[in-house]
Amino acid sequence: MTVHDDSHPESDDQDQGLFSLDKSVTSRAYVAEIWKRRDFALSLPIEELQSSHKDTLFGNIWHLGNPLLTAGVYYLVFGKFLEVSRGVDNFVVWLIIGVFTYQLTSGTILGGASSITSRQGLMRSFRFPRAIVPISNMIGELLAFAFQFLVIVIFAFATGVGPSRRWFLLPVILLIHTAFNLGGSFIAARLNDGFRDIQQLIPFVLRLAMYASGVMFPLDRIVGRNDLVDWLVRLNPIASLINFYRWMILGTELNVATSALTVVESLLILWFGFRFFKVAEYRYGQS
Amino acid sequence: MTALSVQVTDLHIEFEVFSDRRAGLRQRLATQEGSGRRVIEAVNGVSFETRRGEAIGVIGSNGSGKSTLLSALAGLIKPTSGEILVSSEPKLLGVGAVLLNGATGIRNIRLGCLALGMSSEELDDRVAEIVEFTGLGEAIDRPLKTYSAGMRARLHFAISTAVQPEILLVDEALAVGDKEFRKKSRAKIESLLANAGTLFLVSHSTNEIQRLCTRGLWLEKGKILADGPVTDVVAEYGADN
């Protein structure tokens, strides 16, 4: 047996002497370190996904069954009993797009915040870039969203919405959306590590953001009454992110200037969130 | 003399702990006291050097700072002050290491090896060999939560040695295994040392330390009380207890 560790380039430097493990690394080196552990980042959420419904009779069917039932309830309540349209064509599909895509954002941010505390044991046992913890939470949420998206497509087709060329932009939309979610998740994770009270507050912030993002009703219901609310709604990238999906599937209007602003905002939040998280790298999992 | 593998200089590690009784929010805001915060010096000015091929047995009573020292060597805890230099990233997997309880043994092996930095291609090549080494048989497909302490220890040891570290840190992992596994793990450690690796072994069993180690390090209240040939240090430790 040869004692040599190919996966660690630093062990090749051994002849040049000793090094310290706790020196902080550049962002580029940090990202490279995360990339090297990509299989680890992937295996965590997949493991969790596979074991999440193990104690149920239908098991993995629930990954699809849960969003299917959620959408079914909305269809019955809003589409059949109340016949709500709120001035929107195909309100049921419009609504479930809003609910599921907003759930991707709120789930990623809330899960990111709690992941730092719930994965403490893993962090105390293994040395790896801590950003992997919120990243693998994000991957888990994306996997759950894949099933929800399938349900959206099923309901869209069932209500006569056909595929269009806009659908080819799905990867781009997902990428922008994920940049925003991950950035928010990094920020929430760091804040929650410093003050555990944050975890109690985030759900309320997210619920407020939900009403300001046009998830359940069109935003023109709340704009035009108060200047401050108007500005908040206009700057809110989540509303615009949700609208990307509605534009893609239902062909709702898309404001080019607002969309461009959303792309910039999402990238800025990811950049800021990453740096904000990385600064406190050594503190995660210590307390 | 062979090359240095670890160099620790004036290492201090402090923990901030909260005592059970914390004062109310109003009192804390008014007086700035009663936050329940206390600082504990887990490691208090430790310095030593180790060379390749050395096996260091760390002994001391409960709470003497042994495990904290090992965690710091592994880079899992940031020193409050002082410096730790290493020739290669040490790998630590103590009995308390946390894996996924709901997942099977084999999935935990995959996860642990990936977490320690193994690539998935290398893992695919070697997973059978690692499973074989654990000697867990069919139990490898059972969830980790059904494992006994000894079975967990085997799994942990198999994972941490699978990445073939140059510096291996073992925290009480061996004593729990059965006789056959102890023999296997001993062979593994000997091959590591023969390849100019370095071993740190924390154990309460001075027998085990004497069997496996060449050098003893006696830690008490975060300070080194004795450092030297293992038989001398163990004798001194034994005389004191």
Side-chain angles (χ1 to χ4, degrees):
Chain A
M1 188 183 81
T2 55
V3 177
H4 185 77
D5 194 342
D6 283 328
S7 61
H8 287 271
E10 65 258 46
S11 40
D12 296 333
D13 303 338
Q14 58 193 284
D15 295 324
Q16 288 147 36
L18 306 174
F19 60 92
S20 170
L21 286 176
D22 66 72
K23 61 179 189 297
S24 58
V25 294
T26 60
S27 290
R28 186 188 287 246
Y30 191 72
V31 172
E33 194 59 38
I34 294 170
W35 180 246
K36 218 168 72 184
R37 307 276 169 115
R38 60 189 180 278
D39 295 318
F40 174 53
L42 255 170
S43 66
L44 267 178
I46 289 176
E47 205 48 68
E48 215 125 85
L49 194 74
Q50 282 178 340
S51 56
S52 59
H53 292 299
K54 235 173 202 165
D55 46 0
T56 61
L57 182 63
F58 291 106
N60 285 331
I61 295 175
W62 281 117
H63 294 302
L64 188 63
N66 192 307
L68 208 54
L69 286 175
T70 307
V73 169
Y74 284 123
Y75 175 76
L76 282 179
V77 173
F78 293 107
K80 289 284 159 201
F81 298 149
L82 295 176
E83 291 186 35
V84 176
S85 77
R86 287 183 172 162
V88 181
D89 294 331
N90 201 345
F91 180 70
V92 170
V93 173
W94 188 92
L95 178 68
I96 61 173
I97 293 174
V99 169
F100 287 153
T101 55
Y102 188 75
Q103 212 168 333
L104 179 58
T105 294
S106 62
T108 309
I109 293 176
L110 192 61
S114 54
S115 67
I116 283 294
T117 43
S118 64
R119 294 277 186 219
Q120 214 154 36
L122 208 59
M123 288 191 277
R124 274 189 206 148
S125 308
F126 298 98
R127 189 170 173 273
F128 56 85
R130 301 319 191 200
I132 286 196
V133 171
I135 287 174
S136 57
N137 167 68
M138 170 210 86
I139 295 171
E141 294 292 334
L142 274 176
L143 290 173
F145 180 70
F147 293 103
Q148 295 176 332
F149 189 78
L150 197 63
V151 169
I152 293 176
V153 172
I154 292 170
F155 273 73
F157 286 175
T159 53
V161 181
S164 77
R165 253 185 284 176
R166 293 190 300 269
W167 288 57
F168 287 110
L169 282 172
L170 177 65
V172 182
I173 295 172
L174 262 178
L175 214 61
I176 301 164
H177 192 185
T178 299
F180 175 83
N181 294 344
L182 187 60
S185 174
F186 278 142
I187 296 169
R190 158 106 191 256
L191 289 176
N192 191 44
D193 187 64
F195 321 94
R196 295 291 151 84
D197 312 59
I198 294 286
Q199 206 172 321
Q200 305 299 321
L201 292 173
I202 290 175
F204 297 101
V205 175
L206 286 171
R207 199 169 307 162
L208 196 64
M210 187 181 85
Y211 291 113
S213 304
V215 173
M216 314 284 279
F217 47 80
L219 278 174
D220 51 30
R221 298 271 175 121
I222 57 169
V223 295
R225 287 179 212 172
N226 181 315
D227 281 345
L228 181 68
V229 172
D230 285 7
W231 269 107
L232 284 178
V233 165
R234 223 167 284 158
L235 284 173
N236 177 7
I238 307 175
S240 174
L241 286 165
I242 292 176
N243 197 47
F244 282 158
Y245 294 93
R246 287 178 176 150
W247 167 79
M248 181 186 92
I249 295 165
L250 295 171
T252 51
E253 266 177 62
L254 191 76
N255 183 313
V256 177
T258 313
S259 306
L261 180 67
T262 303
V263 175
V264 173
E265 279 175 329
S266 297
L267 293 175
L268 274 177
I269 283 179
L270 177 61
W271 175 79
F272 173 77
F274 175 75
R275 305 205 62 137
F276 185 67
F277 180 87
K278 183 179 165 287
V279 170
E281 168 83 1
Y282 67 90
R283 282 215 305 255
Y284 306 126
Q286 303 280 306
S287 51
Chain B
M1 265 257 181
T2 46
L4 284 178
S5 52
V6 176
Q7 188 175 39
V8 175
T9 322
D10 196 24
L11 182 71
H12 288 262
I13 297 169
E14 290 172 2
F15 284 123
E16 219 174 49
V17 294
F18 295 100
S19 50
D20 284 346
R21 293 185 54 186
R22 296 175 73 178
L25 187 62
R26 195 167 61 179
Q27 192 192 336
R28 269 197 278 160
L29 289 176
T31 62
Q32 309 269 305
E33 283 169 11
S35 67
R37 252 170 223 239
R38 280 195 307 140
V39 171
I40 288 188
E41 284 251 14
V43 176
N44 192 359
V46 163
S47 303
F48 62 87
E49 287 176 356
T50 65
R51 294 183 181 275
R52 288 165 182 236
E54 263 191 311
I56 300 101
V58 186
I59 46 179
S61 49
N62 286 325
S64 57
K66 306 184 297 286
S67 297
T68 308
L69 177 65
L70 244 56
S71 291
L73 286 176
L76 297 168
I77 295 178
K78 197 181 167 74
T80 312
S81 69
E83 195 177 39
I84 300 173
L85 296 176
V86 292
S87 62
S88 158
E89 191 180 323
K91 304 290 185 198
L92 165 78
L93 213 57
V95 274
V98 175
L99 294 156
L100 291 186
N101 258 325
T104 61
I106 186 143
R107 286 188 183 276
N108 272 296
I109 288 179
R110 299 192 68 95
L111 194 80
C113 288
L114 292 174
L116 286 174
M118 198 184 269
S119 71
S120 60
E121 294 83 32
E122 193 189 350
L123 180 61
D124 287 337
D125 290 346
R126 306 213 15 232
V127 72
E129 168 202 334
I130 302 167
V131 169
E132 165 77 35
F133 182 76
T134 63
L136 286 170
E138 283 170 33
I140 207 74
D141 291 317
R142 288 208 325 246
L144 194 64
K145 58 187 168 201
T146 65
Y147 281 29
S148 70
M151 289 160 83
R152 273 168 184 268
R154 288 164 172 233
L155 196 76
H156 285 156
F157 187 78
I159 293 170
S160 56
T161 51
V163 293
Q164 301 183 348
E166 282 173 33
I167 304 171
L168 177 65
L169 314 171
V170 178
D171 192 354
E172 311 260 9
L174 305 177
V176 255
D178 61 20
K179 201 171 167 187
E180 202 212 315
F181 186 73
R182 283 213 297 271
K183 220 164 76 188
K184 272 207 274 190
S185 50
R186 190 180 169 175
K188 195 106 181 176
I189 284 173
E190 273 162 2
S191 91
L192 169 104
L193 296 174
N195 283 288
T198 307
L199 167 77
F200 282 84
L201 174 65
V202 164
S203 179
H204 282 290
S205 154
T206 46
N207 278 337
E208 189 174 86
I209 292 221
Q210 271 184 302
R211 213 172 51 231
L212 288 168
C213 301
T214 51
R215 177 176 166 189
L217 202 64
W218 179 10
L219 220 58
E220 215 60 69
K221 293 195 176 122
K223 286 186 158 71
I224 293 180
L225 278 194
D227 177 3
V230 70
T231 40
D232 299 0
V233 175
V234 167
E236 232 179 297
Y237 178 71
D240 191 69
N241 281 272

